[in-house]
Amino acid sequence: MNAIRNAEGLRNIEGHSDFDITWPWNRPGGLRPGATAVLRVKDESMALPFVLPPLLRATDHVVVVDNGSTDGTPEVAARAAADAGLAHKLTQLTYPFEVARAGAEHLAVHELSVHSLSYFYNWCFAQVGTRYSWKWDGDMVLTTEGEVSMADLTWQVGGVQSIVRVPRHGLYIEDESLAYLDLGLRNAEEWGYPVGPDFVFTKAFEWEIRSTPENCRTMGLPHGLCVELKDLHGDEFAHWTDPSSFATSWRNRRKRREWAVFHALKEGTVPPGVHEIRAPEGVHVVDHVTHDWLPRAPRPLQVG
């Protein structure tokens, strides 16, 4: 039997009992209606002021789990929520163990280790108290219409067995006024899931994967609702054991594209499908893209 199929919960092999997992549907009172976004973050202080306000407005609750940030991420998250008047919708937690990087490092770690990606994800999502969850990244920013769409879904998906795919587009940040939006990749991953015993995380080859029943319905949102921030002056691939593995697995098509675009832009070349965008004076380019450029782009959005 798969280790994660323990109906009672999970115990980690290191014996850190404070970080054993109790499935949320087993807790007294069970799950309440609504949807919670869960962010697993490390050093996302640059992105969170853009990420959190629309996400807090669009969902019932947001859980931010910090995994060893050194840039003040928790403080930035608290301030962003407070400035938006939504501090009551934010819960912050700390996961103090080093988590294996995607790829070979992840593959070598036991599934029930506190250092395993799958165990880490199961622990994070075990903190959810609602019937639905959004697997959100700390650099994913909703556009204006994305916020409205997710808010509309939040009150509808809490009681149904449906998975939601959310397309996102890489936004490569040069500085506060210049960025590059990649519309050359058609990508829509599964980000919305019911909370229950059929939707837990297990170990896959390069990363964790969420189990789903065969009869579960999947719906896809349109393109143009979300961007993923990429810092052209940072290390966007630090969470991978070996980025050269992108070239050896068909599962890494998206990462190959990101690697190619990132390094082309660093070398001064704008690849096909990538749009150079300059913001008006006094407007941050992330706000310009998410509030103006993408919402006003002709539909259907030309992607891929």
Side-chain angles (χ1 to χ4, degrees):
M1 184 178 71
N2 192 312
I4 66 165
R5 290 304 182 182
N6 187 323
E8 300 303 317
L10 303 178
R11 292 185 179 182
N12 59 79
I13 60 174
E14 290 87 0
H16 297 292
S17 57
D18 288 351
F19 286 87
D20 286 342
I21 294 170
T22 298
W23 300 125
W25 49 88
N26 288 338
R27 295 194 179 108
L31 298 167
R32 66 183 184 274
T36 299
V38 179
L39 289 72
R40 297 85 44 228
V41 299
K42 183 174 183 178
D43 295 335
E44 294 286 5
S45 62
M46 184 277 285
L48 287 180
F50 302 104
V51 174
L52 283 177
L55 191 61
L56 286 161
R57 290 191 292 265
T59 62
D60 294 293
H61 204 77
V62 174
V63 175
V64 173
V65 182
D66 187 73
N67 182 222
S69 292
T70 59
D71 67 345
T73 285
E75 293 78 13
V76 169
R79 188 163 57 250
D83 289 347
L86 296 168
H88 62 287
K89 296 178 73 172
L90 175 68
T91 295
Q92 292 210 73
L93 302 168
T94 299
Y95 191 83
F97 309 104
E98 186 173 349
V99 178
R101 293 173 294 176
E105 193 171 292
H106 154 72
L107 193 60
V109 176
H110 193 287
E111 187 172 31
L112 293 181
S113 169
V114 292
H115 304 290
S116 163
L117 271 171
S118 51
Y119 191 91
F120 175 44
Y121 274 63
N122 279 319
W123 186 87
C124 292
F125 281 83
Q127 315 310 314
V128 172
T130 56
R131 295 175 186 164
Y132 205 81
S133 67
W134 295 100
K135 176 178 172 284
W136 212 251
D137 286 352
D139 56 7
M140 289 169 53
V141 183
L142 288 165
T143 65
T144 301
E145 58 184 331
E147 178 184 332
V148 172
S149 297
M150 184 175 283
D152 284 344
L153 278 173
T154 291
W155 66 267
Q156 299 180 63
V157 295
V160 298
Q161 295 290 97
S162 296
I163 296 171
V164 179
R165 292 181 176 272
V166 181
R168 69 190 194 277
H169 314 290
L171 183 64
Y172 297 78
I173 310 297
E174 175 63 36
D175 55 40
E176 292 188 357
S177 62
L178 174 62
Y180 300 87
L181 181 66
D182 183 13
L183 297 183
L185 174 67
R186 185 171 294 275
N187 174 61
E189 293 186 34
E190 297 172 345
W191 292 100
Y193 290 87
V195 177
D198 291 327
F199 302 90
V200 293
F201 290 92
T202 190
K203 185 176 180 178
F205 289 105
E206 284 95 357
W207 49 75
E208 81 298 329
I209 189 170
R210 207 162 190 170
S211 61
T212 56
E214 291 184 2
N215 61 348
C216 188
R217 180 177 61 179
T218 298
M219 65 180 76
L221 299 183
H223 289 273
L225 304 188
C226 179
V227 299
E228 183 177 30
L229 305 186
K230 311 282 188 185
D231 181 7
L232 285 172
H233 303 285
D235 186 353
E236 287 293 325
F237 306 96
H239 59 293
W240 276 86
T241 307
D242 178 16
S244 66
S245 66
F246 300 160
T248 62
S249 170
W250 63 269
R251 290 179 294 273
N252 289 331
R253 174 176 172 267
R254 178 174 66 85
K255 300 307 296 185
R256 285 199 299 274
R257 171 69 181 184
E258 292 175 0
W259 179 268
V261 170
F262 183 88
H263 286 89
L265 292 173
K266 292 282 287 184
E267 295 166 3
T269 300
V270 180
V274 176
H275 299 258
E276 179 180 320
I277 301 175
R278 292 187 179 273
E281 185 175 353
V283 179
H284 197 288
V285 69
V286 175
D287 288 331
H288 176 59
V289 171
T290 56
H291 299 329
D292 185 65
W293 198 97
L294 263 175
R296 292 175 182 272
R299 296 299 192 267
L301 193 65
Q302 298 300 310
V303 177

